[in-house]
Amino acid sequence: MIKRTAATVAISVVALVAPVILMVSPTFAPAIAEAGWFAALPFVLMGVSCVLAICFRQTRISALALVWFGFTARGVQHFGGALPERAVGDFVLVVLTLLPVLSLCLFLMEERRMLSARGIVRFYVALVVLGIFYWLPGLNGFHSRVLSLPTWLVGRYDAGGFNLAPLSACLFVGVGCVLLWKERPEAPALGRMLIALLVVGVAAGNAAMGCWPEVGRLAVFRSLCLSAGGVLVWAVLDGAWRHAYVAALTQLPGRRPMRQHFASLGGEYALAVVDIDHFKKVNDRYGHDVGDQVLRFVAGSVRSVKGGTAYRFGGEEFVVVFGRRWTEESQALAETLRKQIAERPFTLRDVSRPERKPRKQAVVTRRKEATIKVTVSIGIAWPTDDLPDPDEVLGLADKALYRAKRGGRNKVCAAGRK
């Protein structure tokens, strides 16, 4: 999962840097920037991302792609000279104020079905934002009202300089901190992608800056919108990958990516099978909700194993794959994992505890919270000359796991060492 997040960050950075490299390249001629296919490419990517997001039930990305589609279309008119210069300043102010607010709202919303009430509300919100993009900038009343506001709040538009109003800057900083601090478990990379889109939005809104090459502000704007389209497509594909490969409960990859990992293993590796002890008794005594909490509790520890890649194998079982670099230390790392889980108390919420904090607490009482001791048994195996196949090694690890179970549980047993 860490590698996947790093790949997401890397692609976002490339999407931001690539248009700048393209524009400063000697081969980037104005003829390329004005070509019909280049002008249509941002709209194609944003349209594709919107359609794919609808197909994969990612209403947040589809609404954001719709807004960016409208932003690009209206920006082409503004920066193409179709509207007066004062309208460009109003457009930049409105866009750079609404984008962080919209991004934060979509980020905080839970994912819902496309035709649900909340899913439909998102599209209404997107349509309202598009209406503001198209209708508000350029109105005489709005322009005069902006001029009457304090400079320290909205700044002043400079046709050849950097334009980010103090109000917009505060919103960008505040929203950026929230996106970095709060993580959506179902979409860990969403916050970083939204930050990348906000950075592109600031750059696109300042397409007329004098520091850009002499290729025309419209060409600069189209290039940056092309970058935004690439980020949106990647956001959809990343969400689709997580939906297909990652278990929603534990946020760990399942069997399919584990099999793909097996196909890429060399001759040196180790496989560990982790099983929660007495998990059925936990479900029978405390209910499946507590059982799900225990699964998440153990999955968090398994995910953090040094040198290993964790997978949800099924039920209460997990598999950890150790690569060549950690083969010799794998048994010690498995023992460390066992101790870590056994020494961490798992505390149950008191059933009488209200979901919301009451406004007044007349009597102060001490809640008695039950603590469950959660332990795991681990079987670990390495490939042998006779059994080099990962599936066969997994069978050896499973047999070692059963020996740990028969030996009293809360143990690590090894098999198949060369």
Side-chain angles (χ1 to χ4, degrees):
M1 300 300 292
I2 295 177
K3 295 179 180 178
R4 186 73 183 179
T5 302
T8 299
V9 175
I11 288 179
S12 299
V13 172
V14 170
L16 294 174
V17 175
V20 178
I21 296 177
L22 179 66
M23 287 183 291
V24 300
S25 173
T27 60
F28 187 80
I32 297 178
E34 296 174 0
W37 63 268
F38 189 83
L41 196 54
F43 297 102
V44 172
L45 290 180
M46 293 171 189
V48 168
S49 63
C50 185
V51 172
L52 289 178
I54 292 174
C55 295
F56 293 132
R57 298 181 180 180
Q58 300 180 37
T59 55
R60 292 177 294 194
I61 300 300
S62 58
L64 192 63
L66 182 62
V67 170
W68 267 91
F69 191 97
F71 167 45
T72 304
R74 192 58 168 169
V76 168
Q77 294 179 344
H78 280 292
F79 292 108
L83 295 175
E85 192 67 35
R86 62 178 176 82
V88 179
D90 297 343
F91 176 73
V92 172
L93 175 63
V94 170
V95 168
L96 298 188
T97 302
L98 287 181
L99 272 183
V101 176
L102 177 66
S103 299
L104 179 62
C105 291
L106 292 176
F107 178 78
L108 295 178
M109 288 179 178
E110 297 288 342
E111 194 63 81
R112 290 292 184 268
R113 293 183 297 106
M114 193 64 56
L115 297 180
S116 65
R118 295 185 182 181
I120 295 174
V121 166
R122 288 166 209 196
F123 282 96
Y124 277 115
V125 171
L127 291 176
V128 168
V129 173
L130 287 177
I132 295 175
F133 284 176
Y134 273 82
W135 172 73
L136 198 57
L139 290 179
N140 292 327
F142 178 74
H143 183 69
S144 60
R145 182 63 61 88
V146 171
L147 292 178
S148 65
L149 293 175
T151 306
W152 58 265
L153 184 64
V154 296
R156 286 291 181 264
Y157 180 74
D158 181 4
F162 182 74
N163 295 278
L164 184 63
L167 173 63
S168 303
C170 292
L171 288 174
F172 269 88
V173 172
V175 170
C177 291
V178 174
L179 295 179
L180 287 175
W181 170 71
K182 185 176 177 60
E183 184 175 289
R184 306 296 304 188
E186 77 282 3
L190 180 61
R192 297 174 182 86
M193 290 178 178
L194 290 176
I195 291 176
L197 288 172
L198 290 177
V199 173
V200 173
V202 173
N206 290 276
M209 282 184 63
C211 64
W212 294 115
E214 294 298 328
V215 294
R217 62 182 186 178
L218 181 57
V220 174
F221 179 78
R222 284 172 173 167
S223 300
L224 292 167
C225 290
L226 176 63
S227 174
V231 174
L232 286 168
V233 171
W234 175 251
V236 176
L237 296 179
D238 181 78
W241 179 89
R242 293 184 184 280
H243 180 74
Y245 285 90
V246 179
L249 178 62
T250 59
Q251 291 300 308
L252 288 177
R255 291 195 180 193
R256 185 184 301 176
M258 184 187 73
R259 297 296 181 188
Q260 293 177 352
H261 193 171
F262 282 1
S264 63
L265 291 173
E268 295 290 336
Y269 61 90
L271 300 180
V273 180
V274 182
D275 185 88
I276 302 176
D277 296 329
H278 303 295
F279 183 70
K280 186 177 183 301
K281 292 183 179 179
V282 173
N283 277 331
D284 293 341
R285 181 175 180 180
Y286 300 102
H288 290 282
D289 289 341
V290 174
D292 290 344
Q293 295 175 25
V294 172
L295 281 173
R296 287 192 291 265
F297 172 79
V298 174
S301 298
V302 175
R303 187 188 298 112
S304 62
V305 174
K306 182 180 179 181
T309 303
Y311 298 93
R312 172 84 182 278
F313 190 64
E316 65 272 21
E317 285 191 346
F318 304 88
V319 173
V320 182
V321 181
F322 296 95
R324 173 185 295 182
R325 180 181 175 186
W326 303 97
T327 301
E328 297 300 325
E329 297 88 351
S330 55
Q331 187 169 357
L333 293 172
E335 179 65 25
T336 301
L337 171 64
R338 182 197 65 78
K339 291 181 179 179
Q340 176 186 346
I341 295 174
E343 293 173 358
R344 288 177 57 194
F346 178 79
T347 304
L348 293 174
R349 282 175 57 100
D350 183 18
V351 294
S352 62
R353 181 179 178 182
E355 293 184 1
R356 294 184 179 181
K357 183 178 179 181
R359 295 181 178 179
K360 295 182 180 180
Q361 188 172 358
V363 180
V364 178
T365 59
R366 179 175 295 178
R367 297 189 309 271
K368 294 182 179 179
E369 294 179 324
T371 300
I372 301 177
K373 183 175 177 59
V374 178
T375 62
V376 295
S377 299
I378 302 177
I380 187 168
W382 297 262
T384 64
D385 294 335
D386 297 331
L387 298 174
D389 185 73
D391 289 325
E392 296 172 330
V393 176
L394 185 64
L396 290 178
D398 202 47
K399 292 179 180 178
L401 170 65
Y402 281 107
R403 289 206 308 272
K405 293 281 189 181
R406 291 194 298 267
R409 292 181 171 83
N410 194 20
K411 290 184 177 181
V412 177
C413 288
R417 192 97 188 238
K418 286 185 178 181

